[in-house]
Amino acid sequence: MKMKKGEDRRRLASEHGYAEKLFLEKVWFPVFQHFNCLTPEYEVDDYIDGKRYLDFAYIRDTLRLAIEIDGYKQLRR
């Protein structure tokens, strides 16, 4: 497997919010030790209004896994 290069690597590093980066740092990398087969901002067809972007897609052979990260927002009282 190849290491991520170019656009995918740039998007992994720069276009995600705090929750997505925390997921990569605390969950994904400790388990897998690499980002191979993990694609950020993966475009998918949406039957309602065209296109959507998944936070991450893990695509390997016949396995396709969609990963969406919801950030935590504290409510004010």
Side-chain angles (χ1 to χ4, degrees), residues 10 25 34 36 42 50 56-57 64 68 70 73:
R10 184 192 66 76
E25 178 185 334
H34 61 75
N36 298 341
Y42 188 77
F56 301 100
R64 292 176 179 236
E68 281 293 315
D70 290 331
K73 184 177 181 180

Side-chain angles (χ1 to χ4, degrees), residues 37-63:
C37 303
L38 186 67
T39 303
E41 297 299 316
Y42 188 77
E43 184 179 35
V44 294
D45 290 325
D46 181 359
Y47 71 95
I48 295 174
D49 34 22
K51 304 284 184 192
R52 297 237 183 242
Y53 292 88
L54 303 172
D55 288 334
F56 301 100
Y58 180 77
I59 301 170
R60 184 172 178 187
D61 302 321
T62 60
L63 175 65

Side-chain angles (χ1 to χ4, degrees), residues 1 4 8 32 67 74 77:
M1 286 188 215
K4 286 285 183 192
D8 282 348
F32 295 101
I67 303 169
Q74 187 171 359
R77 294 180 186 213

